[in-house]
Amino acid sequence: MSDFVHKPEDKDNNSFVRWQQLSISEMGKMISLFLGIAFATIGFVVSQLISADFIFRNYWDKFLFSFGSVVLLAHIVVSLILTLNRLKDFKQTAKIARAIQKEESISTIDNLRDELEVVGGNTWCLFRSSLWLFGIAESLIIIGFIVQISNKF
């Protein structure tokens, strides 16, 4: 008879770990994607501004481009802070795993888990904030570009 006995909670735990790893991976991909698009948009705005035939035709297109660019820069800053916070999250998780492995006291592990919960909450708050900033910034810049184009005709 085998020494391995299958327990239902082992399967549930493996599933949870697998989905948690997938969630971590996907969040990293989303952050990279939105940062890439943000830098591409900044490049587009700068190329438009240095173009010889680009002229702000009225207040609105200048306001939308400028304000959208500032919000986009805020998105980039929040995304970089988010990335640093995620690193702190991983480091805190490693501390908990190390504390469990060293069989430290339950209160020490609980304190580390409480700290991790705060860091994890900050991660999701920063992630949502960066998505909102990205959406607002891109919308403003796109509307500003549409206003710019429509004024040419």
Side-chain angles (χ1 to χ4, degrees):
M1 185 159 216
S2 173
D3 291 332
F4 177 75
V5 177
H6 178 71
K7 298 177 186 171
E9 60 269 6
D10 289 343
K11 184 178 179 184
D12 292 341
N13 191 39
N14 289 338
S15 178
F16 172 76
V17 170
R18 188 174 56 251
W19 282 107
Q20 191 173 30
Q21 288 172 342
L22 183 62
S23 175
I24 289 168
S25 173
E26 293 302 315
M27 180 186 273
K29 290 174 187 175
M30 291 292 292
I31 294 168
S32 297
L33 174 69
F34 285 113
L35 273 174
I37 294 171
F39 280 114
T41 302
I42 292 290
F44 169 75
V45 169
V46 169
S47 73
Q48 290 298 308
L49 293 176
I50 62 175
S51 174
D53 51 326
F54 183 83
I55 301 168
F56 287 116
R57 304 204 185 275
N58 62 36
Y59 168 80
W60 285 108
D61 54 350
K62 184 175 185 177
F63 169 78
L64 292 168
F65 261 93
S66 302
F67 189 61
S69 297
V70 169
V71 174
L72 196 57
L73 290 174
H75 158 74
I76 290 171
V77 168
V78 168
S79 294
L80 294 175
I81 293 169
L82 167 61
T83 302
L84 293 174
N85 193 71
R86 288 187 75 220
L87 291 174
K88 187 177 180 180
D89 194 345
F90 296 147
K91 185 177 177 182
Q92 193 70 16
T93 302
K95 277 184 185 179
I96 292 170
R98 198 173 311 116
I100 291 170
Q101 193 175 37
K102 289 182 178 181
E103 298 179 356
E104 292 188 17
S105 70
I106 298 294
S107 64
T108 302
I109 294 170
D110 285 343
N111 287 340
L112 290 172
R113 284 185 174 145
D114 290 343
E115 292 173 18
L116 180 63
E117 192 173 318
V118 170
V119 173
N122 291 343
T123 297
W124 285 103
C125 181
L126 287 166
F127 183 67
R128 284 188 296 272
S129 298
S130 76
L131 291 181
W132 275 104
L133 288 170
F134 177 82
I136 292 167
E138 291 290 330
S139 298
L140 290 171
I141 292 170
I142 289 170
I143 292 169
F145 188 67
I146 290 170
V147 168
Q148 178 71 19
I149 290 174
S150 67
N151 286 332
K152 285 185 177 182
F153 301 111

